[in-house]
Amino acid sequence: MYDTDVLIIGAGPSGLTLAASLVKMGIATTVVDRQPAGANTSRAAVVNARTLEVLDDLDVSRRLVKEGIQAPRFTIRDGRRTLIPVDFSVLPTEFPYSLMVPQATTERLLLDRLTELGGTVIRPKTLTSVTQDGDGVTAAFDDGEAITARYVVGADGIHSTVRKQAGIGFEGGVYEESFTLADVRLRGEAPVDEVILFWAKAGLTVVAPLPGDIYRIVAPVHDAPDEPSAAFIQQILDDRGLGAGRMIVTDVVWGSRFRIHHRVADSYRAGRLLLVGDAAHVHSPAGGQGMNLGIQDAVALADALAAVLAGAPDTVLDDYSAARRPIAQQVVEMTDRLTRLATLPRALRPIRNVAIGMAGRIPPVQRALAWRLSGLVYR
Ligand SMILES: Cc1cc2nc3c(=O)[nH]c(=O)nc-3n(C[C@H](O)[C@H](O)[C@H](O)COP(=O)(O)OP(=O)(O)OC[C@H]3O[C@@H](n4cnc5c(N)ncnc54)[C@H](O)[C@@H]3O)c2cc1C
């Protein structure tokens, strides 16, 4: 006898999506998280069209759409000049836009849905080790308790204990530059329906709308402060040609700094241990793919686990790994290209912008970017 069929370690967006999907299918599922409460930071700000499509079955998309802002356009710009316009509004989907919504809201709505379906998250509870044999897995926790399960899923983020315990490699590296991130209030010209990547000579800056008249600013900087001030963010906007009356920062609501890793797990499966989300892949937030990919992994893994628990051969779980891992590799490559282009040496940036401007006038290039950024290419 097992305590549960599926034990999920981690209640971030990936773990919550997996849990709600499994509970909806009537599968005995236990979720634990080491944090006493859900994180309340905005981190991932973009929910893409493909994620909304896969969350529709769970009845979460309409709730997200109610709380988010619809941004049907994404542009790469150099000052006032548009280099590449990307139009999501023409995509063949029920959700032809990027939905701008803070990660804390996405997690709250996923948790609400899990609770409605009869599930819960046990917290704080920290996994310390896992052992498996042919029949099942025993997970040990910091409070001395052990839980047995048929399968254990590591949805436990970049430093995944499940991945380490499974002995799965996590190849890749870390970018040299640090990034500053701030959710700010602005005066001036900032559109509410568009995500903009400014590629100024002085460096890249992302300006993206969030609910509540807030804008997300992200920029690579040499030595980003732990908590950026309004003056610091204003200086970045001024240096990169976005200040001078165009965008005036009046208030920083939340800010952070981060380094970016780019890594993909060697496999998403080792016997009865499985990985989803950041535990399996991390990459640059350029293109806003991280959380989206994790949620999409979780929906695919829920179907695979349901099939195996209903008697399908467990090679279905290998299929899950084989199907999802190349997608993460593609996203790592795409975001790597975007990040490297954005952080090119200063002298090369004008040439880069000319080349990007020329490519950006080609409609198939615009279309390919729209399909990729919206995630629809991974259908
Ligand atoms: C500053 C910042 C900005 C970002 N911006 C974007 C963005 O714009 N777009 C985007 O798509 N993504 C962005 N991301 C990435 C995004 O936040 C992650 O991809 C997403 O949170 C991954 O979800 P997850 O559920 O896989 O993992 P996580 O959200 O990391 O959740 C893992 C959970 O596991 C729990 N846990 C860990 N170890 C244990 C343990 N041993 N026992 C029990 N519980 C454990 C943790 O407490 C946590 O709740 C950003 C990240 C950061 C840090």
Side-chain angles (χ1 to χ4, degrees), residues 102-125:
Q103 185 166 332
T105 305
T106 304
E107 290 185 18
R108 172 171 53 79
L109 295 175
L110 286 167
L111 179 62
D112 285 354
R113 186 61 183 133
L114 173 64
T115 310
E116 247 177 52
L117 289 163
T120 184
V121 178
I122 304 171
R123 52 168 87 230
K125 198 170 183 68

Side-chain angles (χ1 to χ4, degrees), residues 241-262:
L242 311 175
R246 289 185 60 201
M247 289 185 196
I248 306 295
V249 179
T250 55
D251 188 18
V252 174
V253 180
W254 176 68
S256 179
R257 57 165 280 163
F258 58 101
R259 299 288 302 275
I260 298 175
H261 292 255
H262 46 98

Side-chain angles (χ1 to χ4, degrees), residues 51-379:
T51 298
L52 290 168
E53 287 184 349
V54 301
L55 287 179
D56 211 17
D57 270 356
L58 259 188
D59 193 28
V60 171
S61 302
R62 81 182 158 83
R63 306 168 197 222
L64 275 166
V65 169
K66 227 188 258 174
E67 299 217 18
I69 288 184
Q70 297 177 18
R73 282 178 300 142
F74 170 88
T75 53
I76 297 182
R77 298 192 194 188
D78 181 1
R80 288 176 190 269
R81 193 159 62 95
T82 299
L83 301 177
I84 307 186
V86 178
D87 183 6
F88 297 119
S89 71
V90 295
L91 291 173
T93 170
E94 205 185 316
F95 309 99
Y97 43 78
S98 298
L99 189 73
M100 307 307 298
V101 60
Q103 185 166 332
T105 305
T106 304
E107 290 185 18
R108 172 171 53 79
L109 295 175
L110 286 167
L111 179 62
D112 285 354
R113 186 61 183 133
L114 173 64
T115 310
E116 247 177 52
L117 289 163
T120 184
V121 178
I122 304 171
R123 52 168 87 230
K125 198 170 183 68
T126 302
L127 176 80
T128 50
S129 69
V130 276
T131 48
Q132 59 169 325
D133 58 29
D135 295 326
V137 189
T138 303
F141 294 89
D142 60 342
D143 55 6
E145 205 199 342
I147 297 179
T148 57
R150 286 178 204 271
Y151 294 95
V152 169
V153 179
D156 46 353
I158 183 169
H159 304 293
S160 172
T161 303
V162 175
R163 188 187 63 235
K164 290 175 193 158
Q165 290 277 306
I168 298 174
F170 201 39
E171 292 301 311
V174 60
Y175 294 105
E176 241 176 60
E177 291 223 55
S178 60
F179 284 70
T180 193
L181 179 157
D183 289 348
V184 304
R185 291 187 209 284
L186 284 177
R187 262 193 292 113
E189 297 170 26
V192 294
D193 58 353
E194 184 176 342
V195 175
I196 309 176
L197 237 77
F198 287 98
W199 278 9
K201 195 172 172 214
L204 166 112
T205 314
V206 176
V207 179
L210 277 172
D213 289 329
I214 288 170
Y215 287 85
R216 158 71 54 94
I217 312 284
V218 184
V221 285
H222 247 334
D223 201 6
D226 279 346
E227 287 181 19
S229 64
F232 181 81
I233 298 297
Q234 187 66 56
Q235 191 64 52
I236 288 177
L237 297 182
D238 292 347
D239 289 349
R240 299 175 191 199
L242 311 175
R246 289 185 60 201
M247 289 185 196
I248 306 295
V249 179
T250 55
D251 188 18
V252 174
V253 180
W254 176 68
S256 179
R257 57 165 280 163
F258 58 101
R259 299 288 302 275
I260 298 175
H261 292 255
H262 46 98
R263 301 178 189 279
V264 180
D266 294 347
S267 170
Y268 288 13
R269 177 186 185 201
R272 293 176 172 273
L273 306 179
L274 295 136
L275 301 177
V276 279
D278 276 21
H281 47 74
V282 288
H283 37 77
S284 156
Q289 300 289 307
M291 181 185 76
N292 288 290
L293 216 51
I295 290 175
Q296 292 163 34
D297 290 343
V299 170
L301 181 57
D303 288 342
L305 280 167
V308 172
L309 289 167
D314 77 348
T315 50
V316 170
L317 298 173
D318 294 325
D319 298 343
Y320 156 74
S321 177
R324 297 302 302 172
R325 205 175 158 271
I327 294 177
Q329 284 174 314
Q330 284 175 38
V331 169
V332 168
E333 276 163 31
M334 175 185 77
T335 55
D336 186 55
R337 242 175 277 140
L338 279 173
T339 306
R340 284 183 196 286
L341 275 172
T343 52
L344 270 183
R346 222 180 157 101
L348 297 176
R349 291 176 192 168
I351 305 169
R352 169 200 66 192
N353 285 6
V354 170
I356 297 283
M358 279 161 67
R361 280 198 286 275
I362 305 169
V365 170
Q366 297 173 9
R367 261 200 306 277
L369 260 176
W371 276 80
R372 218 155 261 284
L373 292 171
S374 64
L376 296 184
V377 73
Y378 306 121
R379 264 176 181 161

Side-chain angles (χ1 to χ4, degrees), residues 16-27 58 114 117 298-299 302:
L16 289 170
T17 302
L18 178 63
S21 305
L22 290 172
V23 171
K24 183 164 176 261
M25 289 188 273
I27 292 168
L58 259 188
L114 173 64
L117 289 163
V299 170

